[in-house]
Structures are given as C-alpha cells and as structure tokens.
Amino acid sequence: MAVTDEAIERIKEMIVSGALRPGDRLPKESELAAELGLSRNSLREAVRALSLIRILDVRQGDGTYVTSLDPQLLLEALSFVVDFHRDDTVLEFLAVRRILEPAATAMAAVRIPVEELDALEGKLDALGPQPSVEELVASDLEFHRGIVQGSGNSVLCSLLDGLSGPTTRARVWRGLTQEDAVSRTLHEHRAILTALRDRDAEAARSWATVHVASVEQWLRSTL
Amino acid sequence: MAVTDEAIERIKEMIVSGALRPGDRLPKESELAAELGLSRNSLREAVRALSLIRILDVRQGDGTYVTSLDPQLLLEALSFVVDFHRDDTVLEFLAVRRILEPAATAMAAVRIPVEELDALEGKLDALGPQPSVEELVASDLEFHRGIVQGSGNSVLCSLLDGLSGPTTRARVWRGLTQEDAVSRTLHEHRAILTALRDRDAEAARSWATVHVASVEQWLRSTL
DNA sequence: TGAGACCAATACATCGGAGGTCTGGCGGCG
DNA sequence: CGCCGCCAGACCTCCGATGTATTGGTCTCA
C-alpha cells in the first residue's frame, strides 16, 4: 500500500480507536510526518483527503483538528458525491428519497414541536403567490429540512439533505415551474403541515409520499 | 479559496460538465498542474482527495483516470465515513436501515429472479447448524445484499451496503451470538425468502421489518 | 492601569526539483 | 510465432525553501 494511503488508515485508526477524539489537535505536520514515517508532502495528501470528507479541519497558522464527527458533517460529503450523477441516475436517488421522506415525516408527526410547525407555516405564508424559482427552491428545501429535523434522527436528516442536494433539486425545479405544479406543490406543503399539527402520522406519511411521487412522476415522463 | 480546493472544484467541474467522461484519462500531472496554474504537489493533493472518494483512479506508471462514477462506487465511500461513528450513533444508522431495508425487500418481491432466490437459499443451506461468527456475519451480509440487489435500485443497494458496513455489523453480531438469536435470525431469513417466492410484497416487508427491528431492540437494550 | 498597536513565534500553504518505482510497449532472440 | 529484456512514460516519494495566516505576548500611549 502506498505510504499516503497507509497514513490515511493510520489517522483513521487513531480516531476510531479513541487516541484522537473530536476536537483534538493533531501534532504539527512535521512531527506527525516523522511519527508516521513519511514526508510532509505525502502526509499533506492524506490530511487533505480526510479534510475533503470533513474528518479533519485544517486551519492555517493554527493547526489541524479532528472535526466534531457529527453525522451531519460527515454526510455532507454525500452531496458532493451526488453532484457527479447525471440525469439517468437521478430517478434512483429520487426513489430512495420516496422511501425515506414519508418515513421521516411520519416520525416527525409524533415529536415535532408546535413552535417548529408555526415557524414552518410562517415561512410558507411569507412566500408570495408568485414566488421566483430561487425562492421556491429555497423554500422547498427549507420546508423539508425543517420537517425531517423534527424526526429527531440526525443521520436520516443528513442523508435526505444530501440526496436532495441543490443540484438535483434545481434541475428538477427548472422545468417544473413551467407547469401548474407550483400551486399544487404549495398546497401539498400545507397539507403536510396540517397532518403534522393533527399528529396524524399516517396522513403525514401519505401526503409526503404523494408529494415526492408527483415530482418523480413528472421527472420520469420528462426524461 | 486555497489553490488545492480550487483544483478540486475545477476537476469536479470538468467531469460534471462532460469535458471529462467516465473512463477518460487526465492529462499527466505536470501538464494538468500547468493548465490549472499550480504546482504538482498541490495538484496531487487534489487528485488524492478525489481518489479517496472514488472519483478518480490513479494507476502508478500508467495515468490517472475518471472512474465509472457508478453510484455503487461512489457510495462506497459512505462506509468509510460510517466507520468513524461510535456506538452512540449506531442506533440512528440502524433506524435508517429499518426504513430502507423493508422497502427494498418489498421492491424485490415483485422483480427478483427465481434463480437469485435459489442461489440465496442454497447459501443458507450451505450454512451448517453451528456456524462460526465469521460465517454468520458473511452470510447475513450476503443475504441482505442479494435481496437488495433484487430491488433493482443500485443507489438503494449501495446505501444499505454502506449503512450495514462490516464494522457496524460485526459489533452487533459479536454480542448477539451469545444469545439464542442465531436460530431466530436464520429462521427470519427463511421467512423472507418464502415471502419473496410467493411474490408477497407485504409479507416480505413485514418480515424484513421484524428482522431489523429485532436487532435494533437488542442493541438498544444493550447500550 | 487599561486598551490598542506592533511584533515574533508557530503552523500550514505552495512551490520546484531530484531520484525511485511501476507499467506497458517495442524490439530482439530463440 | 512467441517469449524475454530493455526503455520511455507516468506516478510516488522526498527534500528544502519561501510565502502567508493566526496567535499571543509585549510595548506604548492615553
């Protein structure tokens, strides 16, 4: 195995084993390089790779630290990966989302705080009757994120966040706004909110399914 | 932004825009470095980072190539990330799996080929009445992977594969084998197979739910 | 005495070059 | 025609030096 790959494994092992804990500072480049028995350049490649997927956080002039390792942070790299997929696999991502989103919405029905529901409704109200594409995308993203956060599962939340990345979403919306789907989507958002207020998990699940499925269907007919 | 990060974005952009397609070979280090306006060392850091998440494939003595970009390949990096999580978040990953696995099993019920079912049953038969821990883990992993592949959604398949990574699974099994859960698990596997043979999606979904939930419950009571 | 500016130490960022190693292809030899 | 060794190309690793951002202490001034 190449020295750099070995360094990646060694650093990973140090973190997994607990020798390095979240927030800990790594020895400085030169020391760590000597410790692992390689040059600074090679070590830097390892550190950079781990930095890309948010395992490490390098701060110039300060040092290199282990991140919080929150699922949210680590799965953020997922959206980077999703960006590489073209339209032909978007449907598969959307199918996964159609599984997760209703489940998350149903989970949220029994535990999301009323204040959060109020906040979400307020944001829907703030959206005018003729929102721009950018506003719609932002609103949609925020709406779903708010609900999924209400599920109380941060892994689920981050996963959906990554799957519904800006790129995918934007691609979908770009054409979707040409149709009358805008008002229908907003109506579905309202329906989901109502179901959540009623603490009706099954209704919430159904509305979420309908919501995602309608996007999926439109996309399938277009591609 | 640092030159290396910029290089990562530039390379990503080249791939997403289609300038570089799967399987394409990148210009050699020195040329690409000159083209992007940075040193080879910095470029190497960028390439190494993209290589870690399976976007690029560097072959010593040959060149650097764009991978197939299959969802399967890219989501493989997910298991690397999952490895960093400790027991306290395993439950959240398992909860996500409890959502996805039944759905995938139900999808498989209507489309998995009979030959695949035969193969899976054959593997269960090959497992003796007193399998070792390693055999059990391997069998369990292979069984679920075979079924999920039958769902026909490669994204879903890779996602579950990553979530049920060897580490997580091994941790769970290590203690689980102490109980009588072994025979129960094997029995559940048989039941899932039967439901799939009957093309009974609902039964398959239910058995998969029971299967994952039992592991989750045991884990919850142990932690 | 307290606040703000200055400065030096620290640590990462970037660079260019040199030597090593592996791969694949070309040509010679049997 | 097939096998084997040579060789050019490309990545691997390392070194040493310079640039740059942050930090924290110190010094000066009000």
Side-chain angles (χ1 to χ4, degrees):
Chain A
M1 188 188 294
V3 282
T4 301
D5 295 306
E6 190 182 341
I8 292 176
E9 283 301 320
R10 294 276 295 275
I11 295 174
K12 175 183 175 181
E13 193 51 40
M14 281 195 279
I15 296 175
V16 172
S17 72
L20 284 175
R21 303 204 302 170
D24 277 2
R25 176 182 180 161
L26 273 68
K28 62 178 174 183
E29 280 185 338
S30 56
E31 285 181 11
L32 187 55
E35 190 176 328
L36 297 180
L38 40 65
S39 75
R40 284 200 312 284
N41 273 330
S42 301
L43 173 65
R44 277 183 57 78
E45 289 181 18
V47 169
R48 174 72 68 174
L50 290 172
S51 164
L52 179 68
I53 56 175
R54 315 301 172 95
I55 301 294
L56 297 180
D57 177 29
V58 294
R59 298 203 284 251
Q60 184 179 163
D62 186 359
T64 303
Y65 299 81
V66 180
T67 65
S68 63
L69 296 183
D70 275 343
Q72 181 179 355
L73 204 58
L74 299 195
L75 290 174
E76 200 176 290
L78 186 64
S79 69
F80 188 92
V81 168
V82 172
D83 282 344
F84 281 92
H85 287 91
R86 322 189 66 81
D87 290 340
D88 54 345
T89 49
V90 166
L91 276 178
E92 294 199 351
F93 280 102
L94 205 55
V96 174
R97 198 180 150 216
R98 195 178 67 172
I99 297 169
L100 288 178
E101 187 106 24
T105 307
M107 287 168 70
V110 298
R111 64 193 320 282
I112 192 170
V114 176
E115 302 79 44
E116 186 63 28
L117 291 173
D118 291 339
L120 286 175
E121 187 148 24
K123 283 171 187 166
L124 280 187
D125 290 336
L127 208 63
Q130 295 289 330
S132 72
V133 178
E134 291 75 22
E135 288 172 339
L136 253 179
V137 173
S139 163
D140 190 58
L141 213 55
E142 204 167 353
F143 181 78
H144 288 289
R145 183 178 301 165
I147 289 177
V148 175
Q149 275 178 342
S151 74
N153 186 323
S154 62
V155 171
L156 181 56
C157 184
S158 307
L159 213 50
L160 273 170
D161 229 39
L163 288 177
S164 322
T167 303
T168 304
R169 191 64 61 95
R171 260 200 300 249
V172 173
W173 274 107
R174 198 175 308 155
L176 199 55
T177 50
Q178 299 166 354
E179 327 243 340
D180 69 332
V182 175
S183 62
R184 189 161 44 117
T185 296
L186 290 179
H187 173 253
E188 285 166 0
H189 281 185
R190 296 280 183 185
I192 291 174
L193 266 188
T194 302
L196 291 180
R197 280 198 191 283
D198 293 344
R199 303 296 174 188
D200 187 339
E202 281 315 306
R205 182 197 304 274
S206 299
W207 274 112
T209 303
V210 167
H211 185 52
V212 178
S214 70
V215 176
E216 186 181 4
Q217 194 176 26
W218 171 84
L219 193 61
R220 193 185 301 276
S221 69
T222 304
L223 289 181
Chain B
M1 189 189 293
V3 283
T4 300
D5 294 308
E6 191 182 340
I8 292 176
E9 284 300 320
R10 293 277 295 275
I11 296 174
K12 174 183 175 182
E13 192 53 39
M14 281 193 279
I15 296 175
V16 172
S17 73
L20 284 175
R21 303 203 301 170
D24 277 2
R25 176 184 179 157
L26 273 68
K28 62 179 176 184
E29 279 185 338
S30 56
E31 285 181 11
L32 187 55
E35 190 177 327
L36 297 181
L38 40 65
S39 74
R40 282 201 318 286
N41 274 328
S42 301
L43 174 65
R44 279 184 56 78
E45 289 180 17
V47 170
R48 173 73 67 175
L50 290 172
S51 163
L52 179 67
I53 58 176
R54 314 300 173 98
I55 301 294
L56 297 180
D57 177 29
V58 294
R59 285 180 247 164
Q60 183 178 167
D62 186 358
T64 303
Y65 299 82
V66 180
T67 66
S68 64
L69 296 181
D70 275 343
Q72 181 179 355
L73 205 56
L74 299 196
L75 290 174
E76 200 175 290
L78 185 65
S79 69
F80 188 91
V81 167
V82 172
D83 281 345
F84 280 92
H85 287 90
R86 324 189 65 81
D87 290 341
D88 54 344
T89 51
V90 166
L91 277 178
E92 294 199 351
F93 280 101
L94 205 55
V96 174
R97 199 180 149 216
R98 196 178 67 173
I99 297 169
L100 288 178
E101 187 107 23
T105 308
M107 287 168 69
V110 297
R111 63 192 320 283
I112 193 170
V114 176
E115 302 78 43
E116 185 64 27
L117 290 174
D118 291 339
L120 287 175
E121 186 148 26
K123 283 172 187 165
L124 281 188
D125 290 337
L127 208 64
Q130 293 290 330
S132 71
V133 177
E134 291 76 22
E135 287 173 338
L136 254 180
V137 173
S139 164
D140 190 57
L141 211 56
E142 205 168 353
F143 180 78
H144 288 289
R145 182 178 301 166
I147 290 178
V148 175
Q149 273 178 343
S151 74
N153 186 321
S154 63
V155 171
L156 181 56
C157 184
S158 308
L159 213 50
L160 272 171
D161 230 39
L163 288 178
S164 322
T167 304
T168 304
R169 191 64 62 96
R171 259 199 301 248
V172 173
W173 274 107
R174 197 175 310 155
L176 199 55
T177 50
Q178 301 167 351
E179 327 242 340
D180 69 333
V182 175
S183 61
R184 191 162 42 117
T185 297
L186 290 178
H187 173 253
E188 285 166 1
H189 281 185
R190 296 280 183 186
I192 291 175
L193 265 187
T194 302
L196 291 180
R197 279 197 191 284
D198 293 343
R199 302 297 175 189
D200 187 340
E202 281 315 306
R205 182 197 304 275
S206 299
W207 274 112
T209 304
V210 167
H211 185 51
V212 178
S214 69
V215 175
E216 185 182 4
Q217 193 176 26
W218 171 84
L219 192 61
R220 192 185 300 277
S221 68
T222 303
L223 290 180

